[in-house]
Amino acid sequence: MICLSGIFITGTSSNVGKTVITTCLTYAFRKRNIDAVPYKPVQCGAITEGEQWLAPDVELYRKVYNPKENEQLNSFLYEPRFSPHFAAQLADAPIDPQVIKSNYHALQEGHELVLIEGAGGLAVPLIDEQYGTPELIKDLDIPIVIVTQASVGTLNATALTAHYAQSKGLNIIGIIINGYPDNPTEGIKDNLTMIEKVTGIPVIGIVPQIADVEARLGEEEVLEKLIGGIDLDKLYY
């Protein structure tokens, strides 16, 4: 049985909870004694602490993972929360896929599993219309997980993302549904079945909706609840 060394976590759009899922998966795998590390190659929307810029997603990872000295969990950081290609143009600091590949391989050498979180949705350009997130994933030669939400509109967004990924020749492990309510409507329940039927891809995780989830990610009780519905065996084999 072959073990993966990297998984790319993408989403149907921005704000579907990719960072929460990446953080949770890091916690879950490390709890299983699998040395997993989170990595955000490109972050738009830097936050400031004094005169220092910080990557907010990496700061969230720190709730479950303490980086080693000189470990790069982010390669390109931009202040405006724009599409990466445009933020890079404004900063006159283009994204270099070779830097990302180098940082990924460095993490790969020091850990069993690298969990790479994308910026925005899957179709986001990184350099221009010729090189975006799918091209980076192919360069890294790793499979993807699609994060979507339980809300209305998820069937369309998930199907479009899955078909786009397939058109780019990407290997999809499965779909994780984030923000699943405690008392779902009949429509939300039906989405679980229809997502698999429409995409042909298994739903490998259902993550519950928790108020103020990012603020509470350091709480073990919250983390345990979040990871309870994810089939880790489908992700790492």
Side-chain angles (χ1 to χ4, degrees):
M1 196 172 286
I2 299 173
C3 289
L4 299 172
S5 59
I7 301 170
F8 197 99
I9 298 163
T10 189
T12 52
S13 70
S14 297
N15 303 318
V16 294
K18 298 187 305 299
T19 307
V20 169
I21 299 301
T22 303
T23 304
C24 288
L25 290 176
T26 301
Y27 168 82
F29 282 121
R30 295 185 73 81
K31 185 183 175 187
R32 277 194 174 193
N33 294 316
I34 295 168
D35 184 10
V37 58
Y39 173 44
K40 179 83 174 187
V42 181
Q43 173 89 74
C44 299
I47 56 176
T48 55
E49 187 174 284
E51 295 184 359
Q52 185 182 12
W53 280 12
L54 300 175
D57 292 358
V58 173
E59 293 306 299
L60 204 60
Y61 303 157
R62 289 177 185 273
K63 293 188 179 230
V64 301
Y65 179 78
N66 186 28
K68 299 176 184 177
E69 187 176 357
N70 298 321
E71 196 165 54
Q72 294 287 327
L73 300 189
N74 169 244
S75 301
F76 295 93
L77 178 61
Y78 303 103
E79 185 175 19
R81 193 169 180 176
F82 297 154
S83 176
H85 79 286
F86 188 50
Q89 287 176 19
L90 292 176
D92 195 24
I95 294 167
D96 184 348
Q98 295 304 318
V99 170
I100 295 173
K101 288 171 69 175
S102 176
N103 288 347
Y104 165 63
H105 290 311
L107 291 172
Q108 198 178 34
E109 288 175 5
H111 300 273
E112 291 178 82
L113 178 64
V114 186
L115 299 169
I116 306 176
E117 181 190 349
L122 184 59
V124 167
L126 296 177
I127 298 175
D128 53 25
E129 70 279 5
Q130 300 298 321
Y131 194 98
T133 300
E135 287 69 35
L136 174 63
I137 295 168
K138 294 188 80 171
D139 280 349
L140 297 175
D141 193 24
I142 56 176
I144 72 170
V145 167
I146 297 172
V147 178
T148 190
Q149 289 184 318
S151 56
V152 172
T154 192
L155 283 176
N156 182 66
T158 309
L160 289 174
T161 299
H163 291 319
Y164 180 73
Q166 291 164 337
S167 76
K168 292 289 186 176
L170 304 182
N171 175 20
I172 309 170
I173 299 175
I175 295 165
I176 293 177
I177 299 176
N178 187 37
Y180 199 81
D182 290 335
N183 298 299
T185 64
E186 292 303 313
I188 287 176
K189 291 178 185 177
D190 184 68
N191 283 342
L192 293 179
T193 302
M194 285 307 298
I195 281 175
E196 292 189 330
K197 288 182 176 179
V198 170
T199 65
I201 299 163
V203 172
I204 59 172
I206 300 172
V207 177
Q209 185 179 58
I210 294 180
D212 301 318
V213 64
E214 292 191 5
R216 301 183 62 195
L217 267 185
E219 301 174 25
E220 185 175 0
E221 182 181 353
V222 170
L223 286 163
E224 289 294 328
K225 185 175 180 180
L226 289 168
I227 68 173
I230 301 175
D231 189 346
L232 295 178
D233 293 330
K234 296 284 179 63
L235 282 168
Y236 188 79
Y237 52 88

